[in-house]
Amino acid sequence: MIWTTLMFAIDAMLLIGCLVAIYWQGQIVIRSRYNLWPLLMGLLIMSFGSVGTLGLDQIDKWLFIVGLSAFILNCIQAGVGGIGDKRLVNSGFFSATVQYDRLAGITLIPLTLPNGKERVVAIFVTNAQQRIQLSFSQALPTIQKELRSLVPGNTPIEVQNIEQ
């Protein structure tokens, strides 16, 4: 009975997390590059933590399967981040959204990779000195224009060039 209640509560939290992630990811205007780290860590944790469904009754087996599926879905969703039309969407399993008026500054760093592809690394610094880093495949002017339309006018957007 306690196991069933615990599994039901965990499943509910994971499914609510999926729904919240779907909502905020639906607000993204410019997607950042997919972050594989949460998915890899989730699969690693799952491989150590999954004990199977041996010895569980039918309802507990289904709760375990739903919970495992929701956990994997959360790990897949955790790699998505970007510039949303209402908030900045950070990637990561325990990620959060950040209101644009809580940003102290933004640094954009355009890069040319050895294979010739262009990337823009954006570092967002919050008023609480938290740093959020996202990588974009879009051109620098596109990202600048979108950020300028979303962030307050007093938030500095700095472009730094790295000598290569």
Side-chain angles (χ1 to χ4, degrees), residues 100-101 103 106 146-155 157:
Y100 290 115
D101 61 354
L103 292 176
I106 301 169
E146 193 64 42
L147 284 172
R148 192 42 59 206
S149 70
L150 294 170
V151 298
N154 61 350
T155 304
I157 299 176

Side-chain angles (χ1 to χ4, degrees), residues 28 30-34 79-83 89 91 134-136 138:
I28 293 176
I30 298 179
R31 283 198 192 285
S32 65
R33 299 209 19 99
Y34 188 79
V80 178
I83 300 169
V89 180
S91 61
L134 297 174
S135 176
F136 296 93
Q138 292 79 6

Side-chain angles (χ1 to χ4, degrees), residues 20-36:
V20 169
I22 288 170
Y23 173 78
W24 284 113
Q25 290 170 5
Q27 307 294 321
I28 293 176
V29 178
I30 298 179
R31 283 198 192 285
S32 65
R33 299 209 19 99
Y34 188 79
N35 182 3
L36 281 173

Side-chain angles (χ1 to χ4, degrees), residues 11-54:
D11 289 359
M13 287 188 310
L14 287 170
L15 291 171
I16 289 170
C18 289
L19 292 174
V20 169
I22 288 170
Y23 173 78
W24 284 113
Q25 290 170 5
Q27 307 294 321
I28 293 176
V29 178
I30 298 179
R31 283 198 192 285
S32 65
R33 299 209 19 99
Y34 188 79
N35 182 3
L36 281 173
W37 185 248
L39 177 60
L40 295 176
M41 285 304 297
L43 292 175
L44 182 67
I45 290 169
M46 187 187 71
S47 69
F48 287 121
S50 67
V51 293
T53 58
L54 295 175

Side-chain angles (χ1 to χ4, degrees), residues 19-164:
L19 292 174
V20 169
I22 288 170
Y23 173 78
W24 284 113
Q25 290 170 5
Q27 307 294 321
I28 293 176
V29 178
I30 298 179
R31 283 198 192 285
S32 65
R33 299 209 19 99
Y34 188 79
N35 182 3
L36 281 173
W37 185 248
L39 177 60
L40 295 176
M41 285 304 297
L43 292 175
L44 182 67
I45 290 169
M46 187 187 71
S47 69
F48 287 121
S50 67
V51 293
T53 58
L54 295 175
L56 298 177
D57 60 8
Q58 195 64 26
I59 187 74
D60 287 342
K61 284 182 184 179
W62 280 107
L63 286 173
F64 182 78
I65 291 168
V66 167
L68 197 58
S69 301
F71 178 74
I72 292 170
L73 182 59
N74 269 306
C75 292
I76 292 169
Q77 289 176 325
V80 178
I83 300 169
D85 60 357
K86 296 179 183 173
R87 295 181 182 199
L88 179 70
V89 180
N90 189 10
S91 61
F93 195 73
F94 297 107
S95 65
T97 60
V98 178
Q99 294 176 349
Y100 290 115
D101 61 354
R102 295 199 176 160
L103 292 176
I106 301 169
T107 303
L108 301 174
I109 306 168
L111 300 172
T112 303
L113 301 178
N115 61 5
K117 292 184 179 179
E118 300 288 325
R119 297 280 190 268
V120 175
V121 176
I123 302 170
F124 302 89
V125 180
T126 66
N127 292 332
Q129 295 303 313
Q130 175 190 8
R131 286 173 170 58
I132 299 167
Q133 180 177 320
L134 297 174
S135 176
F136 296 93
S137 297
Q138 292 79 6
L140 178 64
T142 305
I143 295 171
Q144 280 179 307
K145 179 182 174 190
E146 193 64 42
L147 284 172
R148 192 42 59 206
S149 70
L150 294 170
V151 298
N154 61 350
T155 304
I157 299 176
E158 178 184 345
V159 177
Q160 288 184 356
N161 290 316
I162 296 179
E163 302 288 331
Q164 294 183 355

